[in-house]
Amino acid sequence: MKLLLINPNISDSVSALIGAEARRTAAPDTEIDVMTAPFGVAYIETRFEALIGAYAAAQLAAEHHARFDAVIVAAFGDPGLPGLREALPCPVTGLSEAAMASACLLGQRFSIVAISQRIRAWYRETVEHAGLLGRLASIRGLDEPLADIGHVQGDQGERLVALAERCVADDGADVIILAGAPLAGLARSLRGRLPVPVVDGVSSAVRHAESLVALQPGKATQGSFAPPPSKPHQGLPDSLARLLTQR
Amino acid sequence: MKLLLINPNISDSVSALIGAEARRTAAPDTEIDVMTAPFGVAYIETRFEALIGAYAAAQLAAEHHARFDAVIVAAFGDPGLPGLREALPCPVTGLSEAAMASACLLGQRFSIVAISQRIRAWYRETVEHAGLLGRLASIRGLDEPLADIGHVQGDQGERLVALAERCVADDGADVIILAGAPLAGLARSLRGRLPVPVVDGVSSAVRHAESLVALQPGKATQGSFAPPPSKPHQGLPDSLARLLTQR
Amino acid sequence: MKLLLINPNISDSVSALIGAEARRTAAPDTEIDVMTAPFGVAYIETRFEALIGAYAAAQLAAEHHARFDAVIVAAFGDPGLPGLREALPCPVTGLSEAAMASACLLGQRFSIVAISQRIRAWYRETVEHAGLLGRLASIRGLDEPLADIGHVQGDQGERLVALAERCVADDGADVIILAGAPLAGLARSLRGRLPVPVVDGVSSAVRHAESLVALQPGKATQGSFAPPPSKPHQGLPDSLARLLTQR
Amino acid sequence: MKLLLINPNISDSVSALIGAEARRTAAPDTEIDVMTAPFGVAYIETRFEALIGAYAAAQLAAEHHARFDAVIVAAFGDPGLPGLREALPCPVTGLSEAAMASACLLGQRFSIVAISQRIRAWYRETVEHAGLLGRLASIRGLDEPLADIGHVQGDQGERLVALAERCVADDGADVIILAGAPLAGLARSLRGRLPVPVVDGVSSAVRHAESLVALQPGKATQGSFAPPPSKPHQGLPDSLARLLTQR
Amino acid sequence: MKLLLINPNISDSVSALIGAEARRTAAPDTEIDVMTAPFGVAYIETRFEALIGAYAAAQLAAEHHARFDAVIVAAFGDPGLPGLREALPCPVTGLSEAAMASACLLGQRFSIVAISQRIRAWYRETVEHAGLLGRLASIRGLDEPLADIGHVQGDQGERLVALAERCVADDGADVIILAGAPLAGLARSLRGRLPVPVVDGVSSAVRHAESLVALQPGKATQGSFAPPPSKPHQGLPDSLARLLTQR
Amino acid sequence: MKLLLINPNISDSVSALIGAEARRTAAPDTEIDVMTAPFGVAYIETRFEALIGAYAAAQLAAEHHARFDAVIVAAFGDPGLPGLREALPCPVTGLSEAAMASACLLGQRFSIVAISQRIRAWYRETVEHAGLLGRLASIRGLDEPLADIGHVQGDQGERLVALAERCVADDGADVIILAGAPLAGLARSLRGRLPVPVVDGVSSAVRHAESLVALQPGKATQGSFAPPPSKPHQGLPDSLARLLTQR
């Protein structure tokens, strides 16, 4: 099985974290390929940055999906995921929805621990769009500027643990999601440190993508995730254009 | 006052409809400028097409907003609107949220009448993301392929009226939204034909944009609609890059 | 265009604030008339006071609406608004729904800053009845008795600013609504003082009433906002009786 | 124990139905007094009529409550109830909330069978304001003009049964509420005719009012149902004025 | 009338509290019988303990219900109630739903004061399953181990009052529910101590059970609370088996 | 890895279906053990039957879990799952939550196709308790008595397909869940027959259980899924008693 993980941001250091955690998680016969967006920002905290990341992810997915069994949008917030689920013939998932799927199998209410204050609004909307606000206990975020997005785990590890503990003690969280690709792998290194199950987006996405491939549920030919109906288009990169016309 | 209406699709015929209705609605001293996306599809029915339209709208807005007092994303579903509201210094609105704002001032529950069956799922999510599912009575759509997106009002006018009447009689609608830029102006020509108030997205957006400019509520410098925090970026068109760096 | 603003309370000083802000906002050719309830209380904080205000507003509206293009219930909580929307042939709006419509065009989540602690429950129900709890970040209120309802802006201005700042920093508000007719005009005088857009009920209601008149969406003849069905009545003031019988 | 049932409408024939069912239900030592609104309409179907009925109910309650242990607003929709609960020193309930309380003790989801199509929107909002939409299976109503509001049970009994059966078979109702004072007592005469428990508003309200008196839960002196804070008022009937000033 | 109260836990001291409060509340001609679970735990704080209590309650109810007019599951959280409502021919209620029914007749939003921190999650789910989260202001619980479940009222009375006061002042509660059978009767002894109405589960359940018997709403023969359809079974205690086969 | 699947019903034929589908799905090194409840009913359609099944599942789990890496409650509705998640040291999941997790990774809204009309209410509550009503398109069920629960796939296959097609065409389903252990494996045999992805509970549960074991998220020691606090108990089977005392 071959999985394509798309980092919709430009940070090669984060792509390296993503790839490392994906490979630690994947089945022995699963190949992992991580691609980094050729344009965009270092990491997504806002709706505007997500809009850019969605388009970058769509271009990479359109160009490369044919060689893979499944595609993972490897940023929390899952920019571009709903559209790609319509357009691609293979299963697609993202860090947010995969992490939330894991969390929902481990407890009733989850909290999200994130890398900044600003990012919380966008994460909250991600949970809301998934229809899961009723299971969200809280979202807490670091409140300092990040010196280096590739080293946030090392720089801020203890602060992240403290945030998670408050989610459990004060907010009623049954499960903690450590959110954002820059935290990929942190759940693994914190094993045993937290009083509730801890979920990581990358490893959840890899496992769930493998499951979707294995379960072979089929691709929609009707309903709202069937490929978009054929209609005139213009000016698009070839790869996107092909997705709109091949059925 | 100068308003920029961005058609995030490639249909010049729809842009003409948008412009005509906008000019019929606007105050005498309001200038209307309509721009058509240089790339994309003829009209948006799906999440994937919306992803493309959002990026096209963002590029046009980034390039041209400085000459305008407000920007309108002139497609139902408002592709790109939340991100642009963060990034642009001026008010931004879209056909969906403007139509829903009007509808909420006219009754308790509204229905949406749309140009296709497929489009309903995307519209439903638009209403859900606005937190307004509790006020949605129903969404009904035409069930035939559209011969020409620029002439759907003429070709399908009576069918659209019949759908609206069922929304009132069967679904409990207090207000009808005729949704989608291709229906721009239809509410005006149907005046008196329907048993409840009828709302048009373009005219609502023009009026509300004028109001937002007049009310001068201020631009967010904190909170989730402040401009995105500064961070590394690369590979973006100059106009988008400028939005990410100028504060 | 002629707009009737009905203060459902007995405070002439508040009516003066309402009228001043309405005239500052209205289009040059819009005439503003403010009427004060002949019976009731100084300002509404409770459901019981709102019940009285609703009846007072209904009597004034029934008596005078024929000379106006639209009617505004000029108290937060909009006492009597849903009933008047059924009964009157012209558009009707109120400070709450107009302020919330503006807020929803400016951000995702809004907070309400109010003049007392007690008033918060009634405001919360107002938001809930509008189906907008999902967009409410918080409601905060002053916690001191008000010396003079006509001077609360001057007496409590800085405290109100501090409350608004906490709504942004602690509650996640994207927009602040300064709620209640006694605060009419305060948003204007605070321009630039707050880190997010600020909304005023009176100016919003005037702009939106003008828009509803201009858009001519039509009056319901079916559905739940059609005039009440004819049936026996007795003992009502002539003006209310006329509203129940003329179709 | 003495209970005051206030018919907020002018129909003496409906007051007679209310009184008869109340007396059939009440404990032997409970005295029942029914008062009919001196002004208003024959029966409430709309928000506007409810506004009038609320004020009429408030006047009767203010004038007479002191002689009673509890007050019942004897119309579905409970016009004026929330305000009266603040202002009166004794327990207050209404047909809607009492019927819904009974229904919630008998099953998970209930349907409402009502006397007209138009009335459904107002009933739906009543359920929504009670926070019980999640337990509402459906609202169905007669679709013919009512010849005589005092004889609707006899004229339309079989049609009402048929509507109730559809609520069970098609809508998933576990319980049926026969709604509206004009149907007072019908649940009793239909006993054994319907395949699920049937709830009547008047008998529920009498039982629950007796319970509230017996349980002596206490009157709020803080929170949103404490009496309204003292403030200037004018022009009110003496009885209403007294409620606003006596503490 | 004869009421069976089932304590789904093994605590005879709590059964004594339940019986005492039930007898203080019941009508003179109502006989009260309290039965204690022969197996289980001292009191229920968790979903796992509730699972056990539900089965114990079902066995007692199946064995003894025929001699009673109604059955009350006398633990907060109502373990087994929904199933027993299907299976038993008589009315069944529980402390939670009865307390919430009372609370909803006394105010808009209620808080629950409970005997431990851990129990809060289970109570929250109880409220959620009742569809009443929209009316829940908060749940607060004692944060110390309980020395003796039969004496928690005496040991912790003042702490419980302090929690209730915070619910009113900080959380917006209009009504307080003192939750859990170990607090049976505390509302009565606190009369006049709290600034809002106080609700007790046992007395509410007794009153409401009496009402359900008196109102004779009928037993479901269709819908989701009809007795379970007949099907093969094995290995069950005779009493449970009889409930599954007798119609 | 060793997985224990507990059929909380007495049907060996259904256990055989469960085991067959589980083994077809499991990884090569995963051992599957299926146990059938020693007491209970043939299949669960109601809350009362679920109460019994929960207790049977708890006994089997308590007795045997120590030899397994994860436990699966192998009935739709997941009787006993929340309690077992607290009490067992290993991951636990169930057919409903696993199927819904898969469905949420494949589309926005899912429908459930079930084996009877009666079962729909219980399934709806299962979805509601999972906080996923916002993603439920519909629940449709067969409307004929089942001749043999072990052969429902063969007897009713075409009818089930027809129900699924209506869910897509009429209800807006993006994904179909074929619900209930008696349908285990049907999704596999229907591959390619339906126009949207199809989800099976058993295979989903096996995959997700394997993922939970692999991800090693940790067991809660705090929060609402920590083991129940220690307290007096009596009369329980040894296995259940051990779960309550060993920490």
Side-chain angles (χ1 to χ4, degrees):
Chain A
M1 191 182 308
K2 299 181 66 174
L3 301 184
L4 170 59
L5 287 85
I6 296 174
N7 178 1
N9 296 306
I10 57 171
S11 306
D12 288 320
S13 61
V14 173
S15 294
L17 291 170
I18 292 169
E21 178 61 16
R23 287 184 192 96
R24 281 190 291 260
T25 305
D29 59 345
T30 297
E31 288 180 41
I32 298 290
D33 209 337
V34 183
M35 294 188 185
T36 307
F39 62 90
V41 298
Y43 56 98
I44 298 174
E45 288 178 295
T46 69
R47 304 166 186 96
F48 187 63
E49 294 161 343
L51 178 162
I52 294 168
Y55 196 70
Q59 286 203 353
L60 284 175
E63 184 72 21
H64 300 287
H65 72 89
R67 294 186 290 114
F68 295 89
D69 296 290
V71 171
I72 292 170
V73 179
F76 218 77
D78 302 346
L81 171 58
L84 288 172
R85 184 165 286 147
E86 296 170 355
L88 297 186
C90 64
V92 195
T93 187
L95 301 202
S96 297
E97 71 166 24
M100 291 191 284
S102 294
C104 288
L105 295 165
L106 291 163
Q108 186 66 16
R109 298 171 77 212
F110 58 84
S111 284
I112 297 175
V113 172
I115 58 174
S116 78
Q117 294 284 303
R118 176 63 187 268
I119 215 167
R120 293 176 303 159
W122 181 46
Y123 281 3
R124 189 180 186 280
E125 292 179 13
T126 297
V127 179
E128 189 170 23
H129 296 181
L132 289 170
L133 274 190
R135 297 185 74 163
L136 180 69
S138 62
I139 303 176
R140 291 181 181 263
L142 294 171
D143 57 4
E144 304 187 10
L146 303 177
D148 178 341
I149 192 63
H151 292 83
V152 61
Q153 298 185 33
D155 297 348
Q156 305 281 346
E158 291 310 306
R159 283 191 184 84
L160 291 162
V161 168
L163 289 176
E165 287 169 342
R166 289 182 56 194
C167 292
V168 176
D170 296 350
D171 307 333
D174 298 319
V175 184
I176 297 294
I177 295 174
L178 295 173
L183 301 187
L186 182 60
R188 189 180 296 268
S189 52
L190 289 181
R191 235 170 235 165
R193 290 285 309 281
L194 290 179
V196 297
V198 189
V199 169
D200 166 81
V202 170
S203 57
S204 290
V206 167
R207 286 290 318 188
H208 296 325
E210 290 177 334
S211 290
L212 295 180
V213 173
L215 292 170
Q216 294 181 254
K219 164 71 187 169
T221 57
Q222 294 179 24
S224 82
F225 285 94
S230 182
K231 59 174 66 79
H233 65 85
Q234 74 177 36
L236 293 168
D238 281 356
S239 59
L240 288 178
R242 271 197 306 276
L243 273 189
L244 285 169
T245 49
Q246 72 187 354
R247 313 282 356 232
Chain B
M1 190 185 305
K2 299 182 68 173
L3 301 183
L4 171 59
L5 287 86
I6 295 174
N7 178 1
N9 296 306
I10 58 171
S11 305
D12 288 320
S13 61
V14 173
S15 294
L17 290 170
I18 293 167
E21 179 61 16
R23 288 184 191 96
R24 281 190 292 259
T25 304
D29 59 345
T30 297
E31 286 180 41
I32 298 291
D33 209 338
V34 183
M35 294 187 185
T36 307
F39 62 88
V41 297
Y43 56 99
I44 299 174
E45 289 178 295
T46 69
R47 305 165 186 93
F48 187 63
E49 296 161 341
L51 178 162
I52 294 168
Y55 196 69
Q59 286 203 354
L60 284 176
E63 183 73 21
H64 300 287
H65 73 88
R67 294 185 292 111
F68 294 90
D69 296 289
V71 171
I72 292 170
V73 179
F76 217 78
D78 302 347
L81 171 57
L84 288 171
R85 182 166 286 148
E86 295 170 356
L88 297 186
C90 63
V92 196
T93 188
L95 300 203
S96 297
E97 71 166 23
M100 291 190 284
S102 294
C104 288
L105 296 165
L106 291 163
Q108 185 66 18
R109 298 172 77 214
F110 58 84
S111 284
I112 297 175
V113 172
I115 59 173
S116 79
Q117 294 284 303
R118 176 64 187 268
I119 215 167
R120 293 176 305 160
W122 181 47
Y123 282 3
R124 189 179 185 281
E125 291 179 13
T126 298
V127 177
E128 189 169 23
H129 296 181
L132 289 171
L133 273 190
R135 297 185 72 163
L136 181 69
S138 63
I139 303 178
R140 291 181 180 264
L142 294 171
D143 57 4
E144 305 188 10
L146 302 178
D148 178 341
I149 193 63
H151 292 82
V152 61
Q153 297 185 33
D155 297 349
Q156 305 281 346
E158 291 311 306
R159 282 191 184 85
L160 291 162
V161 168
L163 289 176
E165 287 169 342
R166 289 184 56 194
C167 293
V168 176
D170 297 350
D171 306 333
D174 298 319
V175 184
I176 298 294
I177 294 175
L178 294 173
L183 301 186
L186 183 61
R188 189 180 295 270
S189 53
L190 289 181
R191 235 170 234 164
R193 289 285 309 279
L194 290 179
V196 297
V198 189
V199 168
D200 165 82
V202 171
S203 57
S204 290
V206 167
R207 285 292 317 188
H208 295 326
E210 290 176 334
S211 291
L212 295 179
V213 173
L215 292 169
Q216 294 181 253
K219 164 70 188 170
T221 58
Q222 295 179 24
S224 82
F225 285 93
S230 183
K231 61 173 65 76
H233 65 85
Q234 73 177 38
L236 293 170
D238 282 356
S239 59
L240 288 178
R242 269 197 307 275
L243 274 189
L244 285 169
T245 48
Q246 72 187 353
R247 314 271 11 218
Chain C
M1 190 185 304
K2 300 180 68 172
L3 301 184
L4 170 59
L5 287 86
I6 296 175
N7 178 2
N9 295 307
I10 58 171
S11 305
D12 288 320
S13 61
V14 173
S15 294
L17 291 169
I18 293 168
E21 178 61 15
R23 287 185 191 96
R24 281 190 292 259
T25 304
D29 59 344
T30 297
E31 287 180 41
I32 298 292
D33 209 338
V34 184
M35 294 187 185
T36 307
F39 61 89
V41 297
Y43 57 97
I44 298 175
E45 287 179 298
T46 69
R47 304 166 187 94
F48 186 64
E49 295 161 342
L51 178 163
I52 294 168
Y55 196 69
Q59 286 203 352
L60 284 175
E63 183 73 21
H64 299 289
H65 74 89
R67 294 185 290 113
F68 294 90
D69 295 289
V71 171
I72 292 169
V73 179
F76 218 77
D78 303 346
L81 171 58
L84 289 171
R85 183 166 285 148
E86 296 170 355
L88 298 185
C90 63
V92 196
T93 187
L95 300 204
S96 296
E97 73 165 23
M100 291 190 284
S102 295
C104 288
L105 295 165
L106 291 164
Q108 186 66 18
R109 297 173 78 214
F110 58 84
S111 284
I112 296 175
V113 172
I115 58 174
S116 79
Q117 294 284 302
R118 175 63 187 267
I119 214 167
R120 294 176 305 160
W122 181 47
Y123 282 2
R124 190 180 184 280
E125 292 180 13
T126 297
V127 178
E128 189 170 24
H129 295 182
L132 289 170
L133 273 190
R135 297 185 73 163
L136 181 69
S138 62
I139 303 177
R140 290 181 181 264
L142 295 171
D143 57 4
E144 306 188 8
L146 302 178
D148 178 341
I149 192 63
H151 292 83
V152 61
Q153 297 185 32
D155 296 349
Q156 304 281 346
E158 291 311 305
R159 283 191 184 84
L160 291 162
V161 169
L163 290 176
E165 287 169 343
R166 290 183 56 195
C167 293
V168 176
D170 297 351
D171 307 333
D174 297 319
V175 184
I176 298 294
I177 295 174
L178 294 173
L183 301 187
L186 182 61
R188 188 180 297 268
S189 53
L190 290 181
R191 236 169 233 164
R193 289 285 308 280
L194 291 179
V196 297
V198 189
V199 169
D200 166 80
V202 170
S203 57
S204 289
V206 166
R207 285 292 316 188
H208 295 326
E210 290 176 334
S211 290
L212 295 179
V213 172
L215 292 170
Q216 295 181 254
K219 164 70 188 171
T221 57
Q222 295 178 24
S224 82
F225 285 93
S230 183
K231 60 174 67 76
H233 65 85
Q234 74 177 39
L236 293 169
D238 281 357
S239 59
L240 288 179
R242 270 196 307 275
L243 274 190
L244 285 170
T245 49
Q246 72 186 354
R247 314 285 350 234
Chain D
M1 191 184 306
K2 298 181 69 173
L3 301 184
L4 170 59
L5 286 85
I6 296 175
N7 178 1
N9 296 306
I10 58 171
S11 304
D12 288 320
S13 60
V14 173
S15 294
L17 290 169
I18 292 168
E21 178 61 15
R23 288 185 190 96
R24 281 190 292 259
T25 304
D29 59 346
T30 298
E31 288 179 41
I32 298 291
D33 209 337
V34 184
M35 294 188 185
T36 307
F39 61 89
V41 298
Y43 56 98
I44 298 175
E45 289 178 296
T46 68
R47 305 165 186 95
F48 187 63
E49 295 161 343
L51 179 162
I52 294 169
Y55 196 69
Q59 286 203 352
L60 284 175
E63 184 72 22
H64 299 288
H65 73 89
R67 294 185 290 113
F68 294 90
D69 295 290
V71 170
I72 293 170
V73 179
F76 218 78
D78 303 346
L81 170 59
L84 289 171
R85 184 165 285 148
E86 296 170 355
L88 297 186
C90 64
V92 196
T93 187
L95 300 204
S96 296
E97 73 165 23
M100 291 190 285
S102 295
C104 288
L105 295 165
L106 291 164
Q108 186 66 16
R109 296 172 79 213
F110 58 84
S111 283
I112 297 175
V113 172
I115 59 173
S116 78
Q117 294 285 303
R118 175 63 187 267
I119 215 167
R120 293 176 305 159
W122 181 47
Y123 282 3
R124 190 180 185 282
E125 291 179 13
T126 297
V127 178
E128 190 170 23
H129 296 181
L132 289 171
L133 273 190
R135 296 185 73 162
L136 181 68
S138 62
I139 303 176
R140 290 182 181 263
L142 294 172
D143 58 3
E144 305 187 9
L146 302 178
D148 178 341
I149 193 62
H151 292 81
V152 61
Q153 296 186 34
D155 297 348
Q156 304 281 346
E158 291 311 304
R159 282 191 185 85
L160 291 162
V161 169
L163 289 176
E165 287 169 343
R166 290 182 56 193
C167 292
V168 176
D170 296 352
D171 306 333
D174 298 320
V175 185
I176 297 294
I177 295 174
L178 294 174
L183 301 187
L186 181 62
R188 189 180 296 268
S189 52
L190 289 182
R191 235 170 234 163
R193 290 285 308 279
L194 290 179
V196 296
V198 189
V199 169
D200 166 81
V202 170
S203 56
S204 290
V206 167
R207 286 292 317 188
H208 296 326
E210 290 176 334
S211 290
L212 295 180
V213 172
L215 292 169
Q216 294 182 253
K219 164 70 188 171
T221 57
Q222 294 179 23
S224 83
F225 285 94
S230 183
K231 60 173 67 77
H233 66 83
Q234 73 177 36
L236 293 169
D238 281 357
S239 59
L240 288 179
R242 270 197 306 276
L243 274 190
L244 285 169
T245 48
Q246 72 187 352
R247 314 269 15 216
Chain E
M1 190 183 307
K2 299 181 68 173
L3 300 184
L4 170 59
L5 286 86
I6 296 174
N7 178 2
N9 296 307
I10 57 171
S11 306
D12 288 320
S13 61
V14 173
S15 294
L17 290 170
I18 292 168
E21 178 61 15
R23 288 184 192 96
R24 281 190 293 259
T25 305
D29 58 346
T30 297
E31 287 180 40
I32 298 291
D33 210 337
V34 183
M35 294 187 183
T36 307
F39 62 89
V41 297
Y43 57 97
I44 299 174
E45 289 178 296
T46 68
R47 305 165 186 95
F48 187 63
E49 295 161 342
L51 178 161
I52 293 169
Y55 196 69
Q59 286 203 353
L60 283 176
E63 184 73 20
H64 299 288
H65 73 89
R67 295 186 289 112
F68 294 89
D69 296 289
V71 171
I72 292 170
V73 179
F76 217 78
D78 303 347
L81 171 58
L84 288 171
R85 183 165 287 147
E86 295 170 356
L88 297 186
C90 64
V92 195
T93 188
L95 300 204
S96 296
E97 71 165 23
M100 290 191 284
S102 295
C104 288
L105 296 165
L106 291 163
Q108 185 67 18
R109 298 172 77 213
F110 58 84
S111 284
I112 296 175
V113 172
I115 58 173
S116 79
Q117 295 285 302
R118 176 63 187 267
I119 214 167
R120 293 176 305 159
W122 181 47
Y123 282 3
R124 190 180 185 280
E125 291 179 13
T126 297
V127 178
E128 189 169 23
H129 296 182
L132 289 171
L133 273 190
R135 297 185 72 161
L136 180 69
S138 62
I139 303 177
R140 291 181 180 265
L142 294 172
D143 56 4
E144 305 188 10
L146 302 178
D148 178 342
I149 192 63
H151 292 84
V152 62
Q153 297 186 32
D155 297 348
Q156 304 281 347
E158 291 311 304
R159 282 190 184 84
L160 291 162
V161 168
L163 289 176
E165 287 169 343
R166 290 184 56 195
C167 292
V168 176
D170 296 351
D171 307 333
D174 298 319
V175 184
I176 297 295
I177 294 175
L178 295 173
L183 301 187
L186 182 61
R188 189 180 296 270
S189 54
L190 289 181
R191 236 170 233 164
R193 290 285 309 280
L194 291 179
V196 297
V198 189
V199 168
D200 166 81
V202 171
S203 56
S204 290
V206 168
R207 285 292 317 188
H208 295 326
E210 290 176 334
S211 291
L212 294 179
V213 172
L215 292 170
Q216 293 181 253
K219 164 70 188 170
T221 57
Q222 293 180 24
S224 82
F225 285 93
S230 182
K231 59 173 66 77
H233 66 85
Q234 74 178 35
L236 293 169
D238 282 356
S239 60
L240 288 179
R242 268 198 308 276
L243 274 189
L244 284 169
T245 48
Q246 74 187 352
R247 314 275 9 221
Chain F
M1 190 183 307
K2 299 181 68 173
L3 301 184
L4 170 59
L5 286 84
I6 296 174
N7 178 2
N9 297 306
I10 57 171
S11 306
D12 289 321
S13 61
V14 173
S15 294
L17 290 170
I18 293 168
E21 178 61 16
R23 288 183 192 97
R24 281 189 293 258
T25 305
D29 58 346
T30 297
E31 288 179 40
I32 298 291
D33 210 337
V34 183
M35 295 188 184
T36 307
F39 61 89
V41 298
Y43 56 99
I44 299 175
E45 289 177 296
T46 68
R47 305 166 186 95
F48 186 64
E49 295 161 341
L51 178 162
I52 294 168
Y55 196 70
Q59 286 204 352
L60 284 175
E63 184 73 21
H64 300 287
H65 73 89
R67 295 186 290 112
F68 294 89
D69 296 289
V71 171
I72 292 170
V73 179
F76 217 78
D78 302 347
L81 170 58
L84 289 171
R85 184 166 285 147
E86 295 170 356
L88 298 185
C90 64
V92 196
T93 186
L95 300 203
S96 296
E97 72 166 22
M100 292 191 283
S102 294
C104 289
L105 295 166
L106 291 164
Q108 186 67 16
R109 298 172 77 212
F110 58 83
S111 284
I112 296 174
V113 172
I115 58 173
S116 78
Q117 294 285 302
R118 176 62 187 269
I119 215 167
R120 294 176 304 159
W122 182 47
Y123 282 3
R124 189 179 186 280
E125 291 179 12
T126 297
V127 179
E128 189 170 22
H129 296 181
L132 289 171
L133 273 191
R135 296 186 73 163
L136 180 68
S138 62
I139 303 177
R140 290 181 181 263
L142 294 171
D143 57 3
E144 305 188 10
L146 302 178
D148 179 341
I149 192 63
H151 291 83
V152 61
Q153 296 186 33
D155 297 348
Q156 304 281 347
E158 291 310 305
R159 282 191 185 83
L160 291 162
V161 169
L163 289 176
E165 287 169 342
R166 290 183 56 193
C167 292
V168 176
D170 296 351
D171 307 333
D174 298 320
V175 184
I176 298 294
I177 295 174
L178 294 174
L183 301 188
L186 182 60
R188 188 180 296 269
S189 52
L190 289 182
R191 236 169 233 164
R193 291 285 309 279
L194 290 179
V196 297
V198 189
V199 169
D200 166 81
V202 170
S203 57
S204 290
V206 167
R207 286 290 319 188
H208 296 325
E210 290 176 333
S211 291
L212 295 179
V213 173
L215 292 169
Q216 295 181 252
K219 163 71 187 170
T221 57
Q222 294 179 23
S224 81
F225 285 93
S230 183
K231 59 174 66 77
H233 65 86
Q234 73 176 37
L236 293 169
D238 281 357
S239 60
L240 288 179
R242 270 197 307 275
L243 273 189
L244 286 169
T245 48
Q246 75 188 352
R247 313 271 11 219

